[in-house]
């Protein structure tokens, strides 16, 4: 493979870079399947509170997620929330993860850091999955729950774009799901990492769409029976 030294801004808005990726055989369109589900990734205190060590201001992201959830609930779509937490013994984290991400030692069961933000308004029938690593699929039953719900499409929202969103999108893609990422409904503590990873997700794993396009599709689905 030839190395290209020309510098490009790694962003969805860079049409020249997108054209280069398309010429290389990337960035095809996945589109929607027949049965979407919504995966809400890590919208909990540690990530969504700017005062926290790894937190950032995700208020705009949160608002977008709330609007998508409202349409998903109207249509009766499967909705799965995730957080990350470990036992206070820290034994289950593992030495390598503790070294690479020492903030993990603060992510303990029962603390405010790992509780969902109240605006997510999780309903009793919407599972909350405690995941041990970045991907919502690693070491969890998310795959089984989606299959049981006959979902073939996952709408991935939440944080962080460069970590858990990307990892979840890749895992979903590897399992054959249609992956949809609403660009306003994901966020990161770093703007450049956010932009670069949205580009890579769109090129490699799924379709990054506007919130408006996602809402238009969801509103086209029939309302759930009472």
């Amino acid at each position: 493979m030839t190395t290209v030294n020309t510098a490009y801004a790694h962003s969805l808005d860079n049409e020249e870079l997108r054209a280069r990726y398309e010429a290389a055989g990337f960035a095809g369109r996945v589109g929607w399947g027949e049965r979407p589900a919504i995966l809400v990734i890590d919208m909990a205190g540690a990530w969504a509170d700017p005062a926290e060590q790894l937190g950032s201001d995700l208020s705009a992201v949160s608002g977008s997620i709330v609007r998508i959830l409202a349409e998903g609930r109207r249509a009766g779509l499967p909705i799965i929330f995730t957080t990350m937490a470990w036992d206070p013994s820290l034994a289950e984290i593992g030495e390598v993860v503790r070294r690479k991400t020492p903030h993990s030692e603060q992510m303990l069961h029962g603390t405010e850091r790992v509780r969902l933000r109240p605006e997510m308004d999780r309903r009793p029938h919407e599972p909350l999955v405690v995941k041990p690593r970045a991907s919502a699929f690693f070491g969890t039953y998310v795959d089984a729950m989606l299959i049981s719900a006959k979902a073939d499409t996952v709408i991935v929202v939440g944080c962080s774009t460069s970590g858990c969103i990307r990892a979840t999108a890749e895992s979903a893609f590897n399992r054959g799901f249609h992956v949809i990422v609403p660009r306003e409904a994901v966020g990161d503590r770093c703007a450049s990492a956010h932009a670069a990873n949205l580009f890579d997700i769109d090129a490699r794993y799924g379709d990054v769409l506007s919130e408006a396009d996602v809402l238009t599709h969801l509103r086209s689905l029939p309302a759930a029976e009472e």
Side-chain angles (χ1 to χ4, degrees), residues 7-224:
Y8 290 104
H10 211 59
S11 165
L12 284 172
D13 299 323
N14 189 326
E15 295 181 2
E16 186 176 356
L17 182 60
R18 182 177 180 83
R20 292 185 65 87
Y21 269 69
E22 288 177 347
F26 291 97
R29 296 298 83 191
V30 171
W32 294 88
E34 296 182 4
R35 172 72 164 160
I38 302 174
L39 299 183
V40 185
I41 307 300
D42 296 354
M43 287 300 292
W47 298 271
D49 182 350
E52 286 286 345
Q53 180 181 9
L54 71 158
S56 56
D57 182 4
L58 297 177
S59 53
V61 171
S62 181
S64 180
I65 293 172
V66 167
R67 291 187 288 273
I68 290 169
L69 285 173
E71 290 301 326
R73 286 167 177 149
R74 180 200 61 81
L77 301 185
I79 296 171
I80 300 172
F81 291 87
T82 75
T83 188
M84 294 182 77
W86 290 277
D87 183 82
S89 72
L90 304 181
E92 61 187 333
I93 301 180
E95 180 184 358
V96 171
V97 175
R98 289 178 66 183
R99 287 185 177 186
K100 180 54 67 176
T101 56
H103 67 257
S104 300
E105 297 179 358
Q106 303 177 32
M107 314 297 286
L108 304 180
H109 288 292
T111 65
E112 201 61 36
R113 288 188 173 99
V114 302
R115 290 193 182 97
L116 293 180
R117 299 286 287 185
E119 61 267 27
M120 295 296 101
D121 194 24
R122 183 175 75 91
R123 311 298 166 82
H125 66 281
E126 297 168 352
L128 173 60
V129 174
V130 180
K131 60 187 179 66
R133 297 292 186 268
S135 171
F137 292 87
F138 184 91
T140 74
Y141 295 107
V142 167
D143 197 353
M145 286 189 283
L146 291 171
I147 292 170
S148 178
K150 297 180 173 57
D152 62 358
T153 301
V154 290
I155 304 169
V156 184
V157 301
C159 65
S160 297
T161 314
S162 59
C164 297
I165 297 297
R166 178 174 178 144
T168 297
E170 181 178 0
S171 292
F173 171 80
N174 288 343
R175 287 165 170 78
F177 291 99
H178 297 244
V179 178
I180 304 293
V181 178
R183 64 187 300 175
E184 296 91 343
V186 294
D188 199 288
R189 67 192 57 82
C190 175
S192 59
H194 173 72
N197 281 277
L198 276 183
F199 182 93
D200 276 346
I201 290 169
D202 191 65
R204 300 171 185 274
Y205 306 126
D207 294 354
V208 176
L209 304 178
S210 69
E211 176 197 330
D213 286 343
V214 172
L215 290 176
T216 294
H217 182 82
L218 295 181
R219 287 167 182 155
S220 74
L221 302 177

